[in-house]
Amino acid sequence: MPNSSLKHILTVEQFSADFISTILNEAAAHQKNVQAKGGSKKLDSFVSTNLFYEPSTRTSSSFAAAMYRLGGQVIGINDVAYSSVAKGETLEDTIRTLEQYSDVIVLRHPDKGAAALAASVSSVPIINAGDGTGEHPTQALLDLYTIMQEQGKIDGLTITMVGDLKHGRTVHSLSKLLNHYKVTLQFVSTEDLSMPEDVCQKLTNPMTRFTDLTSALPTSDVVYMTRIQKERFKDLDEYHAHKDDYVLSENLMRLVKKTGTIMHPLPRLNEIEQEVDNDPRAAYFRQVQYGLYVRMALLAHVLNGGER
Ligand code: ASP
């Protein structure tokens, strides 16, 4: 029987306004703590498992770093090719095994809905670290924290999401999470890679669609660039036709407000020129750091702050 009192993190749709503000406040406290003394011992004696069926650099290592900086330990299965998954073990049996060793499982999987399936058989909290083209709820929280840090507020901003909005799980989660605020959304994509209808139907903020990046930049407070998701294309020629759809160049940065913020969930391929990295508005590597604090807050939350 699934244990409904467990604090799984599966979708942004489960987050209340209270939960969001608690996590953002806790993240700020963890930031201070890490910067002052490296972390705390809050999760001393807790063990997490990172179970990643898809590649990851930031999500897996920030969840590991978050656990270590809270005094906990991590079992890292960062390439399931070297686990019994390669022998054909089901996701359910893998979860039933890893829950015997760990207090929380951070799962990335190529199938939409995989985190919910894992949660349905798990006796420990499951954190969705990306389920295919579905969601990436912890990224959306760190994106929110980044916007807060960089812009000092969220209400009233114009937030522009650019690129592969069809397959990009980060923009699916972030656009829905922004329902808790009053913002204006601008979606820039080619028609065939536009934000899915099922996501749009859930959005409460006004949104405008663009196919041209230059038209959307001057009104943007936040420009959230995304990678064309190569791994989601059945036809690689189609991917190649799209891979340079939108490129934020130093030249285009002239159209962005002086107070603007450039974000990207990373990895970045061609969509932001390296020259832009030196611009103070380029916040994507600070965004990486903020992810650590948000994930510390999330781990402490699902593990009841270390209370057994
Ligand atoms: N790292 C993000 C994700 O896992 C974005 C990306 O891969 O493009 O969804």
Side-chain angles (χ1 to χ4, degrees):
M1 272 295 284
N3 180 346
S4 58
S5 65
L6 288 177
K7 295 175 175 169
H8 302 295
I9 305 281
L10 304 177
T11 160
V12 294
E13 292 178 40
Q14 76 186 75
F15 299 160
S16 66
D18 265 4
F19 171 83
I20 296 166
S21 81
T22 304
I23 294 298
L24 298 185
N25 288 335
E26 288 290 308
H30 288 297
Q31 178 167 357
K32 270 200 188 134
N33 233 352
V34 170
Q35 286 168 351
K37 47 185 181 162
S40 74
K41 291 275 166 235
K42 225 181 174 96
L43 298 185
D44 185 15
S45 87
F46 283 81
V47 174
S48 73
T49 293
N50 275 349
L51 176 60
F52 280 63
Y53 288 70
E54 283 193 330
S56 170
T57 298
R58 278 148 291 270
T59 306
S60 74
S61 42
S62 64
F63 267 113
M67 200 65 191
Y68 293 132
R69 288 191 182 272
L70 290 167
Q73 304 292 319
V74 182
I75 299 168
I77 303 183
N78 294 320
D79 184 347
V80 291
Y82 294 99
S83 73
S84 285
V85 171
K87 301 179 186 171
E89 188 164 59
T90 63
L91 174 62
E92 292 94 318
D93 282 1
T94 303
I95 296 293
R96 288 185 189 111
T97 301
L98 294 170
E99 69 184 7
Q100 312 296 330
Y101 312 133
S102 38
D103 302 293
V104 52
I105 298 172
V106 180
L107 172 70
R108 171 168 290 183
H109 196 282
D111 297 344
K112 197 169 170 176
L117 173 63
S120 74
V121 298
S122 181
S123 64
V124 300
I126 299 291
I127 299 182
N128 181 3
D131 61 333
T133 58
E135 281 221 33
H136 199 344
T138 71
Q139 174 78 42
L141 284 167
L142 82 85
D143 292 341
L144 212 54
Y145 187 74
T146 302
I147 299 172
M148 215 46 202
Q149 296 299 308
E150 298 289 320
Q151 290 282 325
K153 62 172 188 178
I154 294 173
D155 282 325
L157 298 178
T158 295
I159 299 177
T160 301
M161 302 183 192
V162 185
D164 188 351
L165 308 185
K166 178 182 176 188
H167 303 112
R169 54 195 173 203
T170 70
V171 286
H172 301 165
S173 289
L174 179 59
S175 58
K176 287 192 280 180
L177 189 56
L178 287 167
N179 283 349
H180 288 275
Y181 302 86
K182 295 238 167 314
V183 299
T184 301
L185 295 172
Q186 301 192 135
F187 293 151
V188 182
S189 72
T190 56
E191 246 163 64
D192 53 335
L193 296 185
S194 64
M195 189 64 89
E197 250 338 285
D198 65 310
V199 176
C200 288
Q201 271 167 15
K202 292 186 173 152
L203 305 182
T204 55
N205 282 302
M207 92 183 89
T208 315
R209 294 176 198 264
F210 296 80
T211 50
D212 165 36
L213 180 57
T214 54
S215 319
L217 289 180
T219 46
S220 306
D221 297 297
V222 173
V223 180
Y224 191 103
M225 299 297 294
T226 67
R227 175 179 68 91
I228 305 294
Q229 307 279 296
K230 183 177 182 183
E231 63 276 34
R232 311 293 176 211
F233 286 80
K234 287 192 188 83
D235 176 359
L236 270 191
D237 289 343
E238 205 193 317
Y239 162 73
H240 284 291
H242 275 294
K243 80 179 177 34
D244 296 321
D245 276 349
Y246 301 103
V247 179
L248 187 59
S249 61
E250 227 181 351
N251 200 26
L252 279 187
M253 284 298 286
R254 289 194 214 143
L255 297 178
V256 178
K257 290 182 184 178
K258 294 236 164 354
T259 55
T261 299
I262 309 298
M263 295 171 62
H264 193 308
L266 303 176
R268 166 258 310 261
L269 299 180
N270 302 331
E271 53 289 341
I272 304 179
E273 283 185 352
Q274 298 216 1
E275 289 68 34
V276 176
D277 298 0
N278 300 324
D279 188 304
R281 294 168 290 180
Y284 28 95
F285 291 110
R286 294 193 289 279
Q287 190 179 350
V288 171
Q289 186 190 135
Y290 297 139
L292 170 66
Y293 312 131
V294 169
R295 286 170 174 146
M296 289 173 80
L298 284 166
L299 285 168
H301 168 81
V302 300
L303 296 173
N304 303 318
E307 298 292 318
R308 291 237 179 234

